[in-house]
Amino acid sequence: MRLWGAQKIKQAIIHPDTNETIFMPFRMSGYIPFGTPIVVGLLLPNQTLASTVFWQWLNQSHNACVNYANRNASKPSPTSKFIQGYLGAVISAVSIAVGLNVLIQRANKFTPATRLLIQRFVPFPAVASANICNVVLMRHTELEEGIDVLDTNGNIVGSSRVAAKHALLETALTRVVLPMPILVLPPIIMSVLEKTWLLRCRPRMLLPVQSLVCLAAFGLALPLAISLFPQMSEIETSQLEPEIAMATTSKTVVYNKACESKRSIPAQEVWGGKRGNSSPGESKQQQEEDEIIELSDRSCSRQPGSELTPAETDSPHTTQKDSY
């Protein structure tokens, strides 16, 4: 049990490719506590132009940092590509949010109450579009260069462009599904709760209640979105390039779709063919135990920015499979 707990902690805070500690606000286990205040800000009613721009910028900045911290680092990637994706996401999110708000304000057919209700749903198309833009801009080179595919023993078979296409499509779909419950359910629920006697008599309770509703929606959406596709997705070799299919006897290979979580299958199955640094006489179980203990001891050292949160030891997201 101690080793299993150590493995959960290690997977929650250590990047599998770089073995570096991920800064707490950008870990997937910290996505809900650090992302909920931003969601509350996005859904605030009667927003001005300045507040719309600010919350969309802050949201995309947080997403970009999470994406970078949980990226697939098996191959070097220039910082310029990260900056390009970040700027594209911010520009698209702000443009869509501001544009839709302007159109709604100019729509004379809507009553003020209807206009206010529609404005609450504006963040979703803005965020979803920005998420797709971010994925395409940051990872478009994978379509040309391909991504590594591994056989059942964890050995790298080669780089596949077909697998890269599948990985990008899966990630983009996840990025659309993730904000859907977060940015659609709270406006619907709050429009009903605001009519209750309690919130009418105590308007100061609106913000705390909305925060709780957003937190619940976030907790529902995150595991739903990252469970759509496994982190290490499987694909038949017959669907890949001929040179990849000829390079292995395995009928299927796996690839890391990246950005939603880090691992979903045991380390010895994914890394067995490229991280075997133990002496020949040492058993596989002992190798695994030594690696878990060493990395978890290293990651649990109380350094600034690397403290563990209670959510990381108890949360179901700590056994991550990898950016919003």
Side-chain angles (χ1 to χ4, degrees), residues 15 21-28 30-31 34 38 56-72 82-83 85-87 89-90 131 134 138 175 259-260 262 322-324:
H15 194 287
T21 302
I22 301 175
F23 187 46
M24 187 187 298
F26 308 143
R27 300 170 190 168
M28 291 304 293
Y31 199 46
F34 289 98
I38 300 176
Q56 289 291 346
W57 165 80
L58 184 61
N59 180 52
Q60 293 305 322
S61 298
H62 179 248
N63 288 344
C65 290
V66 172
N67 291 343
Y68 183 79
N70 296 279
R71 70 196 183 283
N72 186 331
F82 169 74
I83 297 175
Y86 168 67
L87 292 177
V90 170
N131 288 347
N134 180 275
M138 288 190 66
R175 300 294 179 81
C259 287
E260 260 61 63
K262 293 198 282 290
D322 163 36
S323 109
Y324 78 58

Side-chain angles (χ1 to χ4, degrees), residues 161-228:
R161 292 185 294 274
V162 176
K165 181 180 178 180
H166 280 259
L168 261 66
L169 287 174
E170 291 173 359
T171 303
L173 181 58
T174 303
R175 300 294 179 81
V176 174
V177 173
L178 176 59
M180 188 180 297
I182 301 172
L183 299 177
V184 174
L185 287 181
I188 297 175
I189 296 173
M190 288 304 300
S191 64
V192 175
L193 294 180
E194 287 173 358
K195 298 177 182 179
T196 61
W197 174 84
L198 178 63
L199 293 184
R200 282 187 173 184
C201 295
R202 300 182 179 180
R204 292 184 179 180
M205 293 288 292
L206 281 173
L207 186 58
V209 170
Q210 180 171 332
S211 300
L212 291 175
V213 171
C214 291
L215 180 62
F218 215 151
L220 170 68
L222 184 60
L224 174 65
I226 64 177
S227 65
L228 285 177

Side-chain angles (χ1 to χ4, degrees), residues 80-207:
S80 59
K81 185 166 66 173
F82 169 74
I83 297 175
Q84 183 184 32
Y86 168 67
L87 292 177
V90 170
I91 292 173
S92 60
V94 171
S95 301
I96 293 173
V98 172
L100 289 176
N101 277 324
V102 171
L103 289 176
I104 293 171
Q105 290 293 341
R106 292 181 178 179
N108 298 324
K109 296 181 179 181
F110 299 135
T111 63
T114 303
R115 188 180 295 115
L116 179 61
L117 179 62
I118 295 176
Q119 280 183 318
R120 289 185 169 184
F121 293 97
V122 167
F124 171 66
V127 170
S129 302
N131 288 347
I132 295 176
C133 180
N134 180 275
V135 171
V136 173
L137 289 176
M138 288 190 66
R139 301 179 60 181
H140 67 91
T141 55
E142 294 179 8
L143 296 175
E144 302 172 0
E145 301 174 1
I147 59 175
D148 291 343
V149 292
L150 292 76
D151 60 19
T152 53
N153 296 321
N155 298 310
I156 297 178
V157 178
S159 293
S160 171
R161 292 185 294 274
V162 176
K165 181 180 178 180
H166 280 259
L168 261 66
L169 287 174
E170 291 173 359
T171 303
L173 181 58
T174 303
R175 300 294 179 81
V176 174
V177 173
L178 176 59
M180 188 180 297
I182 301 172
L183 299 177
V184 174
L185 287 181
I188 297 175
I189 296 173
M190 288 304 300
S191 64
V192 175
L193 294 180
E194 287 173 358
K195 298 177 182 179
T196 61
W197 174 84
L198 178 63
L199 293 184
R200 282 187 173 184
C201 295
R202 300 182 179 180
R204 292 184 179 180
M205 293 288 292
L206 281 173
L207 186 58

